[in-house]
């Protein structure tokens, strides 16, 4: 079974801090994604990557950046954390577009 | 703008009931429709549907896609308390690149004993 691992389950950061969320998958998947999930808004795509060093903006990229230096690792970066970025962040990977995605277990980020 | 709409947003039924969850979509370059179950942290994959009219089954769960009317349903028969979860529907796009999934807001299903 493919495994997607997010490095932290819970994080508490201060406003203005630079925050790194790490995601690693172990099945050589080409595509990786970062979503955030908020009550009443569902899952929204922040960024995705379909190859090393390639990245594309999703629906809500403002305030975020990403890094994919190695195929197995996709990092989400909050350049200057704000309280409205308090959310559950989910990383996912897939072998091909349109196939079932595998999600990590999520990182609950609180910005105070 | 691509859109996936699920209904109802929440549903409370008794154990043993049958439920039908709905998902309609308006997307360009539609490729497939996926159903996920989210109990705690992360969604787990249930079904992927690409062809109209072909039912997919897994135990008490089944799903079907209607590409003409642009909707899908997820059926759960003989519900159990363990079926309580948020059920997410998502459309996957074709074309170049990964593109991600467009999710609906989910249906929160509660099964009462």
């Amino acid at each position: 079974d493919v495994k997607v691992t997010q490095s932290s389950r819970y994080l508490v950061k201060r406003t203005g801090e630079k925050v790194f969320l790490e995601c690693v998958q172990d099945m050589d998947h080409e595509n990786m994604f970062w979503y955030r999930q908020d009550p009443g808004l569902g899952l929204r795509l922040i960024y995705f990557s379909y190859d090393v060093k390639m990245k594309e903006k999703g629906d809500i990229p403002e305030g975020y950046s990403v890094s994919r230096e190695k195929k197995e690792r996709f990092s989400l970066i909050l350049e200057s954390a704000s309280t409205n970025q308090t959310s559950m962040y989910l990383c996912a990977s897939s072998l091909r577009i349109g196939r079932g995605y595998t999600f990590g277990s999520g990182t609950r980020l609180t910005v105070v | 703008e691509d859109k996936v709409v699920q209904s109802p947003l929440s549903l409370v039924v008794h154990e043993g009931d049958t439920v039908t969850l709905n998902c309609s979509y308006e997307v360009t370059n539609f490729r497939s429709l996926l159903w996920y179950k989210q109990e705690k942290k992360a969604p787990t994959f249930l079904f992927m549907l690409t062809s109209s009219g072909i039912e997919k089954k897994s135990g008490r769960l089944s799903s079907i896609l209607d590409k003409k009317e642009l909707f899908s349903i997820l059926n759960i028969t003989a519900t159990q308390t363990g079926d309580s979860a948020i059920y997410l529907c998502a459309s996957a796009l074709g074309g170049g690149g990964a593109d991600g999934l467009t999710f609906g807001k989910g249906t929160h299903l509660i099964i009462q004993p």
Side-chain angles (χ1 to χ4, degrees):
Chain A
D1 280 352
V2 65
K3 193 172 177 184
V4 177
T5 304
Q6 293 182 234
S7 54
S8 305
R9 296 294 289 270
Y10 299 95
L11 275 179
V12 180
K13 296 292 182 180
R14 295 193 183 278
T15 301
E17 277 193 79
K18 191 168 185 176
V19 180
F20 292 85
L21 303 184
E22 304 288 346
C23 176
V24 177
Q25 50 96 2
D26 64 1
M27 280 299 288
D28 205 34
H29 281 179
E30 303 288 338
N31 306 312
M32 296 187 74
F33 310 85
W34 275 105
Y35 292 88
R36 63 177 282 178
Q37 186 171 31
D38 301 288
L41 296 175
L43 274 159
R44 294 178 292 167
L45 181 64
I46 305 171
Y47 266 97
F48 62 93
S49 167
Y50 51 90
D51 201 354
V52 175
K53 295 193 186 295
M54 305 300 288
K55 59 186 179 185
E56 293 281 347
K57 292 179 181 179
D59 299 319
I60 50 164
E62 296 78 20
Y64 303 94
S65 63
V66 289
S67 172
R68 186 132 181 239
E69 296 296 320
K70 294 183 178 180
K71 192 174 187 179
E72 65 271 18
R73 185 180 296 270
F74 192 35
S75 303
L76 180 69
I77 304 156
L78 285 66
E79 298 290 344
S80 176
S82 63
T83 54
N84 63 12
Q85 292 178 309
T86 292
S87 185
M88 168 70 81
Y89 289 88
L90 288 164
C91 174
S93 74
S94 75
L95 184 59
R96 301 184 194 89
I97 55 169
R99 304 296 298 179
Y101 288 27
T102 301
F103 284 84
S105 52
T107 297
R108 168 85 52 198
L109 173 67
T110 303
V111 182
V112 298
Chain B
E1 184 185 331
D2 296 333
K3 195 162 63 170
V4 175
V5 178
Q6 291 186 245
S7 64
L9 289 180
S10 64
L11 183 59
V12 181
V13 299
H14 289 288
E15 214 169 9
D17 288 351
T18 293
V19 297
T20 298
L21 310 184
N22 303 294
C23 175
S24 65
Y25 62 92
E26 294 176 27
V27 300
T28 55
N29 291 324
F30 175 83
R31 185 182 183 96
S32 58
L33 191 130
L34 299 95
W35 284 96
Y36 289 84
K37 178 182 182 182
Q38 186 170 13
E39 293 177 87
K40 295 176 182 175
K41 298 286 186 192
T44 54
F45 176 73
L46 293 176
F47 297 111
M48 185 182 74
L49 305 161
T50 54
S51 301
S52 251
I54 299 174
E55 186 183 51
K56 295 221 172 174
K57 284 181 72 77
S58 176
R60 295 175 294 102
L61 276 67
S62 64
S63 185
I64 197 162
L65 175 68
D66 186 328
K67 290 170 80 171
K68 184 180 176 184
E69 300 296 330
L70 307 183
F71 78 89
S72 174
I73 59 172
L74 175 68
N75 275 324
I76 309 174
T77 58
T79 52
Q80 303 170 358
T81 55
D83 295 327
S84 296
I86 296 172
Y87 290 84
L88 295 164
C89 167
S91 68
L93 308 178
D99 286 331
L101 298 173
T102 298
F103 281 89
K105 293 183 181 178
T107 294
H108 190 186
L109 178 63
I110 297 171
I111 311 296
Q112 292 182 332

